[in-house]
């Protein structure tokens, strides 16, 4: 794109979409209905994103166990260490926050969870969980839930995951705003790309400046969770892009480089994904061929996506086209994945996934073409399934003419 200084006009403050406590309550009631259908007395939720989905309590996982326990009538108790007491009490509307002091403690925290189940008169054979005990982090060791109850818990993961797959109106609003901010950060970053500088020198100011705008234009906005600053804008340069996860920073931008970027924003804990392949200077014939093949694959995938379409068919349709284009051997991963509270969620646009697309599901669509000694070519767009097809939520140019950096 032309090397012109981009001026971003100050925008009026805007309201920030968020998940209401009422919606969290409805989610827990939906889980209770699933528990009733499965004949469960109680359900223990250990996985952090599922705890956040059902309560609004976003936390940094450590060695200290945290669990949500839902009873058959929908009553809910959040078990947390003392370091999370005020945080938990102020950020959620669960019926009870039960606090233990520390891990490993005089009494292991899992004993507190077992005691809570006993108080609820939950029968061992009728206790469900998304994991048999706390998921180990940071050196955690402890008994499994089954060691304390005497019976292996019913695998209740899908009671929660089935709800997470289709996004509510509020979730879609959060994800759309995430897409909008990601695009703004990416535009600023793309305009700053200059040969002779390292990647970090180009993308770090863009992320910081956009973060300041988020704070200014959305009074009260804060990123949820502890895994990022709220806005991400970055790219990888050179031949290392041929390795999908082989990120090498500090390469230094040179004429002829392939750049693969990523931008995202955190809106009430919800994410999106925007990635683009850019070329520094006039593209070579080989770069054009790889870029156009990648773009054709992504276009095919988006065109196929609609309610009722098997998730696996989206990938198979792109693989068939990759065969026709002669790039099947250059694929390194499936077409995409769901996205929301986590950067990667189920279901996946993969031939091995049995899910069927439904309106309200949100996916990244990112088939890539990877050529050794040339580079990686991958766009990623966030796409929502609509009643009659799909809609791309990330508004950003996809054609090579708009993604060519003038040295």
């Amino acid at each position: 794109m032309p090397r012109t200084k981009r001026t971003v006009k100050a925008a009026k403050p805007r309201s920030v979409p968020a998940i209401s406590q009422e919606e969290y309550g409805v989610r827990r009631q939906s889980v209770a209905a699933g528990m009733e259908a499965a004949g469960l007395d109680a359900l223990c939720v250990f996985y952090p994103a599922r705890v956040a989905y059902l309560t609004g309590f976003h936390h940094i996982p450590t060695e200290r166990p945290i669990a949500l326990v839902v009873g058959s009538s929908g009553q809910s108790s959040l078990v947390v260490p003392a370091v999370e007491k005020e945080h938990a009490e102020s950020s959620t509307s669960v019926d009870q926050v039960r606090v233990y002091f520390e891990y490993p403690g005089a009494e292991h925290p899992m004993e507190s969870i077992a005691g809570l189940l006993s108080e609820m008169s939950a029968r061992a054979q009728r206790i469900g969980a998304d994991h048999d005990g706390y998921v180990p982090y940071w050196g955690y060791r402890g008994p499994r839930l089954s060691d304390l109850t005497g019976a292996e818990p019913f695998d209740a993961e899908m009671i929660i995951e089935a709800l997470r797959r289709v996004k509510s109106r509020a979730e879609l609003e959060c994800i759309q705003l995430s897409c909008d901010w990601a695009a703004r950060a990416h535009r600023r970053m793309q305009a700053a790309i200059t040969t002779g500088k390292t990647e970090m020198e180009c993308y770090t100011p863009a992320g910081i400046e956009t973060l300041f705008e988020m704070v200014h234009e959305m009074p009260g906005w804060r990123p949820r969770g502890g895994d990022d600053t709220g806005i991400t804008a970055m790219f990888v340069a050179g031949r290392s892009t041929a390795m999908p996860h082989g990120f090498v920073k500090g390469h230094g931008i040179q004429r002829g480089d392939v750049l693969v970027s990523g931008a995202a924003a955190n809106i009430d804990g919800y994410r999106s994904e925007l990635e683009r392949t850019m070329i520094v200077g006039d593209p070579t014939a080989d770069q054009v061929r790889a870029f156009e093949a990648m773009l054709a694959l992504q276009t095919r995938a988006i065109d196929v996506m609609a309610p009722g379409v098997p998730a696996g068919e989206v990938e198979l349709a792109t693989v068939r086209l990759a065969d026709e284009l002669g790039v099947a051997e250059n694929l390194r991963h499936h077409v995409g994945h769901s996205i929301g509270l986590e950067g990667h969620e189920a279901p996946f646009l993969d031939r091995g996934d049995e899910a069927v697309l439904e309106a309200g599901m949100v996916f990244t669509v990112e088939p890539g073409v990877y050529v050794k000694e040339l580079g990686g070519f991958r766009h990623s767009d966030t796409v929502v399934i609509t009643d009659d097809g799909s809609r791309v939520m990330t508004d950003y140019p996809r054609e090579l003419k708009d993604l060519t950096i003038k040295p």
Side-chain angles (χ1 to χ4, degrees):
M1 65 184 297
R3 297 219 28 88
T4 57
K5 183 174 178 61
R6 182 178 179 83
T7 301
V8 180
K9 294 181 179 180
K12 294 181 179 179
R14 61 191 298 182
S15 60
V16 186
I19 309 303
S20 67
Q21 291 299 332
E22 290 76 15
E23 181 163 332
Y24 288 120
V26 169
R27 292 174 181 179
R28 294 194 294 273
Q29 288 298 324
S30 297
V31 166
M35 292 168 54
E36 182 179 12
L40 300 179
D41 292 340
L43 190 156
C44 296
V45 184
F46 294 101
Y47 188 62
R50 296 180 191 128
V51 172
Y53 177 78
L54 294 174
T55 67
F57 176 66
H58 294 253
H59 67 280
I60 302 172
T62 71
E63 73 279 9
R64 304 174 179 95
I66 287 176
L68 172 69
V69 181
V70 181
S72 57
S73 63
Q75 72 270 31
S76 53
S77 297
L78 189 60
V79 180
V80 301
V83 295
E84 297 282 7
K85 179 180 184 296
E86 289 76 16
H87 177 201
E89 291 175 342
S90 64
S91 63
T92 181
S93 61
V94 295
D95 299 310
Q96 176 190 25
V97 174
R98 177 167 293 201
V99 181
Y100 65 87
F101 183 65
E102 196 36 295
Y103 165 87
E107 178 184 76
H108 194 283
M110 285 296 296
E111 297 283 356
S112 294
I113 297 169
L116 180 57
L117 291 168
S118 179
E119 293 174 19
M120 297 172 67
S121 300
R123 292 162 286 185
Q125 293 78 13
R126 296 196 175 188
I127 294 173
D130 63 343
H131 191 266
D132 191 5
Y134 184 61
V135 182
Y137 287 95
W138 292 8
Y140 168 83
R141 296 291 182 272
R144 295 174 298 179
L145 184 61
S146 57
D147 294 332
L148 300 173
T149 64
E152 186 174 343
F154 174 84
D155 185 356
E157 177 182 355
M158 288 308 298
I159 291 177
I160 308 167
E161 289 302 298
L163 300 174
R164 292 181 67 193
R165 292 186 171 204
V166 174
K167 272 49 178 182
S168 69
R169 176 179 295 181
E171 289 177 296
L172 291 175
E173 290 176 352
C174 290
I175 295 171
Q176 183 60 69
L177 187 55
S178 173
C179 292
D180 296 345
W181 278 108
R184 187 189 296 197
H186 198 292
R187 290 188 185 95
R188 175 177 276 126
M189 174 180 67
Q190 182 176 342
I193 296 172
T194 304
T195 54
K197 289 186 176 182
T198 63
E199 302 93 314
M200 299 85 75
E201 290 176 280
C202 294
Y203 63 65
T204 300
I208 293 173
E209 290 173 27
T210 306
L211 175 64
F212 290 168
E213 289 179 352
M214 294 177 76
V215 172
H216 176 72
E217 295 180 23
M218 300 187 295
W221 167 82
R222 298 292 184 273
R224 301 292 299 275
D227 60 342
D228 57 39
T229 63
I231 185 73
T232 300
M234 57 81 64
F235 62 89
V236 179
R239 294 177 180 178
S240 62
T241 58
M243 299 179 287
H245 285 176
F247 299 140
V248 178
K249 298 180 180 179
H251 163 80
I253 303 162
Q254 304 171 35
R255 182 188 292 268
D257 272 351
V258 177
L259 313 179
V260 177
S261 65
N266 180 322
I267 302 295
D268 203 26
Y270 283 84
R271 273 76 171 171
S272 61
E273 188 169 283
L274 169 64
E275 296 177 349
R276 286 294 182 266
T277 299
M278 299 174 282
I279 308 292
V280 180
D282 294 331
T284 67
D286 287 342
Q287 289 174 336
V288 171
R289 279 192 292 270
F291 185 101
E292 294 299 335
M294 172 275 295
L295 185 58
L297 296 180
Q298 193 201 32
T299 300
R300 175 65 58 86
I302 294 171
D303 288 346
V304 169
M305 296 170 71
V309 174
E313 177 55 31
V314 181
E315 183 187 41
L316 291 173
T318 62
V319 170
R320 289 192 291 267
L321 179 57
D323 281 329
E324 295 174 18
L325 297 175
V327 295
E329 295 300 316
N330 301 105
L331 305 180
R332 293 292 180 271
H333 52 74
H334 52 213
V335 168
H337 50 80
S338 186
I339 191 168
L341 282 175
E342 297 178 280
H344 284 232
E345 297 179 354
F348 301 89
L349 301 177
D350 185 291
R351 71 196 76 183
D353 200 307
E354 298 179 353
V356 175
L357 304 189
E358 301 177 50
M361 287 182 170
V362 179
F363 293 92
T364 68
V365 183
E366 49 179 316
V369 173
Y370 302 93
V371 184
K372 188 177 181 181
E373 303 302 325
L374 184 64
F377 298 78
R378 183 182 69 251
H379 287 354
S380 182
D381 281 286
T382 302
V383 177
V384 60
I385 306 301
T386 62
D387 290 335
D388 57 358
S390 65
R391 178 175 64 83
V392 177
M393 303 176 77
T394 35
D395 181 15
Y396 205 87
R398 297 169 63 230
E399 302 291 336
L400 183 55
K401 64 180 178 63
D402 299 309
L403 299 168
T404 300
I405 308 298
K406 301 301 181 184

